[in-house]
PDB file of all heavy atoms in Angstrom:
ATOM      1  N   ASN A 279     -10.173 -27.578 -39.241  1.00 95.00           N
ATOM      2  CA  ASN A 279     -11.232 -27.268 -38.397  1.00 95.00           C
ATOM      3  C   ASN A 279     -12.036 -26.015 -38.900  1.00 95.00           C
ATOM      4  O   ASN A 279     -13.264 -25.903 -38.921  1.00 95.00           O
ATOM      5  CB  ASN A 279     -10.754 -26.772 -36.998  1.00 95.00           C
ATOM      6  CG  ASN A 279     -10.523 -28.000 -36.070  1.00 95.00           C
ATOM      7  OD1 ASN A 279     -10.986 -29.045 -36.299  1.00 95.00           O
ATOM      8  ND2 ASN A 279      -9.859 -27.641 -34.983  1.00 95.00           N
ATOM      9  N   LYS A 282     -14.189 -27.351 -41.579  1.00 93.00           N
ATOM     10  CA  LYS A 282     -15.279 -28.150 -40.950  1.00 93.00           C
ATOM     11  C   LYS A 282     -16.361 -27.297 -40.314  1.00 93.00           C
ATOM     12  O   LYS A 282     -17.571 -27.529 -40.440  1.00 93.00           O
ATOM     13  CB  LYS A 282     -14.712 -28.955 -39.870  1.00 93.00           C
ATOM     14  CG  LYS A 282     -15.282 -30.291 -39.785  1.00 93.00           C
ATOM     15  CD  LYS A 282     -14.718 -31.251 -38.644  1.00 93.00           C
ATOM     16  CE  LYS A 282     -13.401 -31.119 -38.160  1.00 93.00           C
ATOM     17  NZ  LYS A 282     -13.150 -32.038 -37.123  1.00 93.00           N
ATOM     18  N   PHE A 283     -16.017 -26.069 -39.689  1.00 94.00           N
ATOM     19  CA  PHE A 283     -17.004 -25.379 -39.010  1.00 94.00           C
ATOM     20  C   PHE A 283     -17.454 -24.071 -39.795  1.00 94.00           C
ATOM     21  O   PHE A 283     -18.000 -23.132 -39.216  1.00 94.00           O
ATOM     22  CB  PHE A 283     -16.377 -24.979 -37.651  1.00 94.00           C
ATOM     23  CG  PHE A 283     -16.238 -26.254 -36.797  1.00 94.00           C
ATOM     24  CD1 PHE A 283     -15.001 -26.798 -36.538  1.00 94.00           C
ATOM     25  CD2 PHE A 283     -17.364 -26.811 -36.264  1.00 94.00           C
ATOM     26  CE1 PHE A 283     -14.818 -27.808 -35.849  1.00 94.00           C
ATOM     27  CE2 PHE A 283     -17.226 -27.967 -35.406  1.00 94.00           C
ATOM     28  CZ  PHE A 283     -15.895 -28.457 -35.231  1.00 94.00           C
ATOM     29  N   ASP A 310     -11.490 -17.700 -39.097  1.00 97.00           N
ATOM     30  CA  ASP A 310     -12.572 -18.175 -40.134  1.00 97.00           C
ATOM     31  C   ASP A 310     -13.832 -17.311 -39.916  1.00 97.00           C
ATOM     32  O   ASP A 310     -14.018 -16.679 -38.854  1.00 97.00           O
ATOM     33  CB  ASP A 310     -12.845 -19.645 -40.037  1.00 97.00           C
ATOM     34  CG  ASP A 310     -13.369 -20.119 -38.736  1.00 97.00           C
ATOM     35  OD1 ASP A 310     -14.394 -19.627 -38.208  1.00 97.00           O
ATOM     36  OD2 ASP A 310     -12.775 -21.043 -38.076  1.00 97.00           O
ATOM     37  N   GLY A 314     -18.440 -20.348 -35.192  1.00 94.00           N
ATOM     38  CA  GLY A 314     -17.931 -19.855 -33.939  1.00 94.00           C
ATOM     39  C   GLY A 314     -18.030 -20.835 -32.832  1.00 94.00           C
ATOM     40  O   GLY A 314     -18.482 -21.999 -32.983  1.00 94.00           O
ATOM     41  N   ILE A 315     -17.531 -20.423 -31.597  1.00 94.00           N
ATOM     42  CA  ILE A 315     -17.539 -21.376 -30.455  1.00 94.00           C
ATOM     43  C   ILE A 315     -18.225 -20.699 -29.352  1.00 94.00           C
ATOM     44  O   ILE A 315     -18.096 -19.497 -29.050  1.00 94.00           O
ATOM     45  CB  ILE A 315     -16.041 -21.642 -30.017  1.00 94.00           C
ATOM     46  CG1 ILE A 315     -15.207 -22.122 -31.276  1.00 94.00           C
ATOM     47  CG2 ILE A 315     -15.931 -22.581 -28.969  1.00 94.00           C
ATOM     48  CD1 ILE A 315     -13.704 -22.092 -31.026  1.00 94.00           C
ATOM     49  N   ILE A 323     -12.056 -26.445 -25.433  1.00 94.00           N
ATOM     50  CA  ILE A 323     -11.735 -27.001 -26.746  1.00 94.00           C
ATOM     51  C   ILE A 323     -10.299 -27.598 -26.975  1.00 94.00           C
ATOM     52  O   ILE A 323     -10.159 -28.407 -27.804  1.00 94.00           O
ATOM     53  CB  ILE A 323     -11.993 -26.028 -27.957  1.00 94.00           C
ATOM     54  CG1 ILE A 323     -11.287 -24.735 -27.632  1.00 94.00           C
ATOM     55  CG2 ILE A 323     -13.422 -25.670 -28.046  1.00 94.00           C
ATOM     56  CD1 ILE A 323     -11.269 -23.781 -28.830  1.00 94.00           C
ATOM     57  N   TYR A 328     -12.303 -33.539 -26.382  1.00 85.00           N
ATOM     58  CA  TYR A 328     -13.402 -32.619 -26.300  1.00 85.00           C
ATOM     59  C   TYR A 328     -14.028 -32.200 -27.712  1.00 85.00           C
ATOM     60  O   TYR A 328     -13.264 -31.906 -28.532  1.00 85.00           O
ATOM     61  CB  TYR A 328     -13.087 -31.379 -25.481  1.00 85.00           C
ATOM     62  CG  TYR A 328     -14.311 -30.590 -25.204  1.00 85.00           C
ATOM     63  CD1 TYR A 328     -15.118 -30.966 -24.189  1.00 85.00           C
ATOM     64  CD2 TYR A 328     -14.751 -29.511 -26.034  1.00 85.00           C
ATOM     65  CE1 TYR A 328     -16.301 -30.263 -23.907  1.00 85.00           C
ATOM     66  CE2 TYR A 328     -15.918 -28.882 -25.721  1.00 85.00           C
ATOM     67  CZ  TYR A 328     -16.662 -29.175 -24.698  1.00 85.00           C
ATOM     68  OH  TYR A 328     -17.863 -28.610 -24.416  1.00 85.00           O
ATOM     69  N   GLN A 329     -15.295 -32.441 -27.811  1.00 85.00           N
ATOM     70  CA  GLN A 329     -15.922 -31.919 -28.984  1.00 85.00           C
ATOM     71  C   GLN A 329     -17.099 -31.021 -28.660  1.00 85.00           C
ATOM     72  O   GLN A 329     -17.886 -31.364 -27.713  1.00 85.00           O
ATOM     73  CB  GLN A 329     -16.446 -33.111 -29.820  1.00 85.00           C
ATOM     74  CG  GLN A 329     -15.305 -33.997 -30.334  1.00 85.00           C
ATOM     75  CD  GLN A 329     -15.705 -34.995 -31.273  1.00 85.00           C
ATOM     76  OE1 GLN A 329     -16.516 -35.931 -31.038  1.00 85.00           O
ATOM     77  NE2 GLN A 329     -15.274 -34.827 -32.530  1.00 85.00           N
ATOM     78  N   GLY A 330     -17.151 -29.869 -29.272  1.00 80.00           N
ATOM     79  CA  GLY A 330     -18.067 -28.871 -28.823  1.00 80.00           C
ATOM     80  C   GLY A 330     -19.482 -29.201 -29.285  1.00 80.00           C
ATOM     81  O   GLY A 330     -19.738 -30.198 -29.905  1.00 80.00           O
ATOM     82  N   GLY A 340     -14.855 -35.587 -36.102  1.00 70.00           N
ATOM     83  CA  GLY A 340     -13.439 -35.737 -35.741  1.00 70.00           C
ATOM     84  C   GLY A 340     -13.261 -36.536 -34.582  1.00 70.00           C
ATOM     85  O   GLY A 340     -14.084 -37.423 -34.210  1.00 70.00           O
ATOM     86  N   THR A 341     -12.090 -36.430 -33.941  1.00 76.00           N
ATOM     87  CA  THR A 341     -11.663 -37.199 -32.772  1.00 76.00           C
ATOM     88  C   THR A 341     -11.700 -36.450 -31.493  1.00 76.00           C
ATOM     89  O   THR A 341     -11.573 -37.026 -30.427  1.00 76.00           O
ATOM     90  CB  THR A 341     -10.396 -37.873 -32.914  1.00 76.00           C
ATOM     91  OG1 THR A 341      -9.438 -36.751 -33.224  1.00 76.00           O
ATOM     92  CG2 THR A 341     -10.351 -38.790 -34.100  1.00 76.00           C
ATOM     93  N   GLY A 342     -11.745 -35.112 -31.626  1.00 82.00           N
ATOM     94  CA  GLY A 342     -11.632 -34.286 -30.456  1.00 82.00           C
ATOM     95  C   GLY A 342     -10.131 -34.220 -30.021  1.00 82.00           C
ATOM     96  O   GLY A 342      -9.920 -33.809 -28.883  1.00 82.00           O
ATOM     97  N   LEU A 343      -9.222 -34.659 -30.858  1.00 85.00           N
ATOM     98  CA  LEU A 343      -7.863 -34.746 -30.386  1.00 85.00           C
ATOM     99  C   LEU A 343      -6.989 -33.634 -31.162  1.00 85.00           C
ATOM    100  O   LEU A 343      -5.918 -33.229 -30.712  1.00 85.00           O
ATOM    101  CB  LEU A 343      -7.171 -36.088 -30.764  1.00 85.00           C
ATOM    102  CG  LEU A 343      -7.488 -37.214 -29.775  1.00 85.00           C
ATOM    103  CD1 LEU A 343      -7.001 -38.473 -30.255  1.00 85.00           C
ATOM    104  CD2 LEU A 343      -6.980 -36.916 -28.440  1.00 85.00           C
ATOM    105  N   GLY A 344      -7.517 -33.144 -32.240  1.00 90.00           N
ATOM    106  CA  GLY A 344      -6.829 -32.222 -33.105  1.00 90.00           C
ATOM    107  C   GLY A 344      -6.253 -31.036 -32.419  1.00 90.00           C
ATOM    108  O   GLY A 344      -5.028 -30.794 -32.413  1.00 90.00           O
ATOM    109  N   LEU A 345      -7.077 -30.338 -31.622  1.00 94.00           N
ATOM    110  CA  LEU A 345      -6.594 -29.135 -30.893  1.00 94.00           C
ATOM    111  C   LEU A 345      -5.624 -29.427 -29.719  1.00 94.00           C
ATOM    112  O   LEU A 345      -4.740 -28.744 -29.407  1.00 94.00           O
ATOM    113  CB  LEU A 345      -7.689 -28.269 -30.406  1.00 94.00           C
ATOM    114  CG  LEU A 345      -8.471 -27.469 -31.488  1.00 94.00           C
ATOM    115  CD1 LEU A 345      -9.616 -26.703 -30.907  1.00 94.00           C
ATOM    116  CD2 LEU A 345      -7.518 -26.620 -32.310  1.00 94.00           C
ATOM    117  N   ALA A 369     -14.277 -17.956 -35.648  1.00 97.00           N
ATOM    118  CA  ALA A 369     -13.292 -18.284 -34.589  1.00 97.00           C
ATOM    119  C   ALA A 369     -11.924 -17.877 -35.029  1.00 97.00           C
ATOM    120  O   ALA A 369     -11.576 -17.962 -36.206  1.00 97.00           O
ATOM    121  CB  ALA A 369     -13.356 -19.687 -34.189  1.00 97.00           C
ATOM    122  N   PHE A 371      -7.754 -18.474 -33.915  1.00 98.00           N
ATOM    123  CA  PHE A 371      -6.734 -19.215 -33.171  1.00 98.00           C
ATOM    124  C   PHE A 371      -5.443 -18.447 -33.247  1.00 98.00           C
ATOM    125  O   PHE A 371      -4.961 -18.141 -34.335  1.00 98.00           O
ATOM    126  CB  PHE A 371      -6.531 -20.641 -33.654  1.00 98.00           C
ATOM    127  CG  PHE A 371      -7.744 -21.468 -33.387  1.00 98.00           C
ATOM    128  CD1 PHE A 371      -8.948 -21.449 -34.104  1.00 98.00           C
ATOM    129  CD2 PHE A 371      -7.812 -22.268 -32.130  1.00 98.00           C
ATOM    130  CE1 PHE A 371     -10.006 -22.185 -33.729  1.00 98.00           C
ATOM    131  CE2 PHE A 371      -8.862 -23.020 -31.717  1.00 98.00           C
ATOM    132  CZ  PHE A 371      -9.937 -23.044 -32.620  1.00 98.00           C
TER     133      PHE A 371
HETATM  134  P1  ADP B 601     -12.499 -32.333 -33.600  1.00 73.30           P
HETATM  135  O1  ADP B 601     -12.418 -31.197 -34.586  1.00 73.30           O
HETATM  136  O2  ADP B 601     -11.881 -33.507 -34.109  1.00 73.30           O
HETATM  137  O3  ADP B 601     -13.750 -32.445 -32.975  1.00 73.30           O
HETATM  138  P2  ADP B 601     -10.632 -30.606 -32.238  1.00 73.30           P
HETATM  139  O4  ADP B 601      -9.766 -30.825 -31.111  1.00 73.30           O
HETATM  140  O5  ADP B 601      -9.948 -30.134 -33.467  1.00 73.30           O
HETATM  141  O6  ADP B 601     -11.465 -31.858 -32.414  1.00 73.30           O
HETATM  142  O7  ADP B 601     -11.666 -29.455 -31.890  1.00 73.30           O
HETATM  143  C1  ADP B 601     -12.453 -29.561 -30.661  1.00 73.30           C
HETATM  144  C2  ADP B 601     -13.617 -28.789 -30.680  1.00 73.30           C
HETATM  145  O8  ADP B 601     -13.399 -27.350 -30.810  1.00 73.30           O
HETATM  146  C3  ADP B 601     -14.503 -29.022 -31.916  1.00 73.30           C
HETATM  147  O9  ADP B 601     -15.336 -30.290 -31.779  1.00 73.30           O
HETATM  148  C4  ADP B 601     -15.299 -27.718 -32.070  1.00 73.30           C
HETATM  149  O10 ADP B 601     -16.419 -27.769 -31.183  1.00 73.30           O
HETATM  150  C5  ADP B 601     -14.454 -26.715 -31.541  1.00 73.30           C
HETATM  151  N1  ADP B 601     -13.642 -25.989 -32.763  1.00 73.30           N
HETATM  152  C6  ADP B 601     -12.384 -26.195 -33.184  1.00 73.30           C
HETATM  153  N2  ADP B 601     -12.179 -25.332 -34.178  1.00 73.30           N
HETATM  154  C7  ADP B 601     -13.286 -24.674 -34.436  1.00 73.30           C
HETATM  155  C8  ADP B 601     -13.590 -23.645 -35.377  1.00 73.30           C
HETATM  156  N3  ADP B 601     -12.647 -23.234 -36.233  1.00 73.30           N
HETATM  157  N4  ADP B 601     -14.836 -23.143 -35.297  1.00 73.30           N
HETATM  158  C9  ADP B 601     -15.722 -23.596 -34.416  1.00 73.30           C
HETATM  159  N5  ADP B 601     -15.492 -24.525 -33.559  1.00 73.30           N
HETATM  160  C10 ADP B 601     -14.302 -25.056 -33.491  1.00 73.30           C
END
Side-chain angles (χ1 to χ4, degrees):
N279 276 348
K282 217 181 332 179
F283 296 102
D310 61 54
I315 305 165
I323 53 170
Y328 189 79
Q329 296 191 292
T341 54
L343 283 174
L345 286 181
F371 288 82

